[in-house]
Amino acid sequence: MSTKDVYILAIESSCDDTSAAVLQNGKVLSNVIANQKIHEAYGGVVPELASRAHQQNIVPVVHQALAVANIDKKQLNAIAFTRGPGLMGSLLVGTSFAKSLALGLNIPLIEVNHMQAHILAHFIEDEAQTIPKFPFLAMTISGGHTQIVVVKDHFDMEVIGETIDDAVGEAYDKSGKILGLPYPAGPIIDKLANEGNPKAFQFPKPKVEGLNFSFSGLKTAILYFIQKQTNANPNFIEENLQDICASIQHTIVNIILDKLKKASKQTGIKTIAIGGGVSANSAIRKALKDGEKKYGWTAHIPKFAYTTDNAAMIGIVGYLKYLKEDFTNEAVTANSRFKF
């Protein structure tokens, strides 16, 4: 490929955030995200409402991304978009828009796997984060996914562990619902946990073979615990909220850490990177940094802006694929269960 600057427009619409970003080579020029507040009233993402909101947001979000980057669409070299995994209705909006724009501008179209993008977000050129060296272990933790991945190269990845039921983000949100906290509950539990005693209450850790995860049993244990305690004391949650949150978070972090330690020991890889929305959690970030001293790890923690669903991470994958001339064609369709 030519050594001239490459401008990539990236589009992310896999769930409930509409995002567009412009990258100049590996550097982010803009990263615009439109959040959908409508789901808060339902305690979770409503797929039909999400896809309708994407239709409303995608044109102004792309327009703003180009404006912030100070780039004309005629300067773009390619369009990168999230093909999957995600909610089918949401993916269709981003996929259709990307295909149409690429066709209209007569420039290459690049499909991106959303989970791969969470991992490769570490390769965005940004002073706020460091780029891991191959091979490394990546843990993707979000509302819909929990995976441990061996990353040998940008596009040579192997999933060696994943959840068999709920994702870690769901464990936070469902625990929050039990406690009467608003959706999304993860950041609220994290904040309250910092004010509580993590050893005030003990919750069981699931016994799952190998490197896989399970969080549904923990959710059930928390439900039964709260029901028992509130039957004895109706004010139990209000009087102990910080300690309950701290204990829940302590258990979740230990589950994650145990599997990471096991994966590191099995593979002999001590370079660890995290990604996904839950990687913004303060306790998980601290546990990973503490692992540098305790276990000799080299930890890579993404910038907060690149943790949640965002188009910048789609853009860096698009740039890396552009360099390989790994393009897709206009026959491509969204894939809600897209594997890498």
Side-chain angles (χ1 to χ4, degrees):
M1 298 297 296
S2 170
T3 56
K4 71 173 185 175
D5 286 336
V6 175
Y7 294 98
I8 304 288
L9 172 66
I11 295 168
E12 154 61 22
S13 68
S14 64
C15 191
D16 62 330
D17 292 330
T18 314
S19 182
V22 176
L23 271 71
Q24 178 185 19
N25 305 325
K27 184 180 178 182
V28 177
L29 300 183
S30 64
N31 187 28
V32 178
I33 303 173
N35 303 116
Q36 299 178 8
K37 300 293 184 183
I38 192 170
H39 306 286
E40 293 177 3
Y42 299 93
V45 177
V46 182
E48 177 63 24
L49 295 179
S51 58
R52 290 181 187 180
H54 282 305
Q55 289 178 309
Q56 294 172 341
N57 293 338
I58 194 160
V59 171
V61 165
V62 169
H63 184 269
Q64 188 177 352
L66 290 168
V68 172
N70 196 26
I71 293 294
D72 187 273
K73 61 181 179 292
K74 294 178 182 178
Q75 293 176 262
L76 297 173
N77 296 95
I79 310 289
F81 69 98
T82 302
R83 184 184 176 194
L87 301 175
M88 181 55 85
S90 296
L91 291 167
L92 283 170
V93 177
T95 301
S96 301
F97 186 90
K99 288 167 65 175
S100 301
L101 188 57
L103 186 65
L105 295 174
N106 194 29
I107 56 177
L109 184 66
I110 303 171
E111 65 179 51
V112 174
N113 181 290
H114 180 84
M115 299 313 296
Q116 244 182 1
H118 273 306
I119 295 169
L120 295 178
H122 287 276
F123 291 85
I124 294 172
E125 295 173 14
D126 195 304
E127 293 178 356
Q129 61 181 31
T130 53
I131 296 176
K133 294 179 180 179
F134 301 114
F136 65 92
L137 286 177
M139 173 170 275
T140 54
I141 42 179
S142 67
H145 299 87
T146 305
Q147 296 177 326
I148 299 178
V149 183
V150 175
V151 185
K152 301 171 187 174
D153 201 354
H154 293 124
F155 301 105
D156 185 0
M157 302 182 185
E158 180 188 1
V159 178
I160 59 172
E162 59 189 339
T163 182
I164 60 174
D165 42 58
D166 290 348
V168 63
E170 289 177 287
Y172 272 105
D173 288 334
K174 290 177 179 178
S175 297
K177 192 169 186 177
I178 293 167
L179 297 174
L181 299 175
Y183 173 87
I188 301 170
I189 290 176
D190 186 21
K191 184 178 179 180
L192 291 169
N194 290 324
E195 303 167 8
N197 176 9
K199 297 182 179 180
F201 308 106
Q202 286 193 330
F203 298 110
K205 290 196 289 185
K207 292 181 173 64
V208 184
E209 291 297 318
L211 298 173
N212 287 336
F213 298 85
S214 171
F215 290 101
S216 64
L218 173 63
K219 170 202 65 183
T220 304
I222 292 167
L223 175 63
Y224 288 160
F225 170 78
I226 294 298
Q227 286 177 342
K228 181 180 178 181
Q229 296 299 326
T230 52
N231 283 337
N233 175 12
N235 298 320
F236 177 78
I237 294 176
E238 184 181 347
E239 293 172 0
N240 298 276
L241 185 57
Q242 288 88 346
D243 287 348
I244 298 168
C245 289
S247 300
I248 291 171
Q249 177 145 290
H250 178 72
T251 306
I252 290 173
V253 172
N254 278 341
I255 292 169
I256 290 171
L257 210 60
D258 286 349
K259 293 294 183 177
L260 263 183
K261 286 189 287 185
K262 190 172 185 178
S264 179
K265 187 174 181 180
Q266 284 186 12
T267 60
I269 299 172
K270 289 185 175 290
T271 301
I272 316 286
I274 56 172
V278 184
S279 67
N281 180 277
S282 64
I284 293 173
R285 285 174 167 247
K286 183 180 184 300
L288 203 64
K289 293 302 290 183
D290 289 346
E292 292 187 317
K293 291 182 180 179
K294 291 181 180 178
Y295 316 117
W297 293 347
T298 300
H300 294 273
I301 299 172
K303 182 178 177 180
F304 280 109
Y306 308 141
T307 57
T308 54
D309 292 348
N310 67 93
M313 68 181 192
I314 306 302
I316 191 63
V317 181
Y319 173 63
L320 293 169
K321 283 193 168 187
Y322 184 89
L323 296 179
K324 291 162 55 74
E325 298 187 41
D326 185 2
F327 307 136
T328 190
N329 59 49
E330 289 288 334
V332 68
T333 58
N335 185 341
S336 63
R337 297 185 180 274
F338 193 28
K339 302 285 187 183
F340 61 78

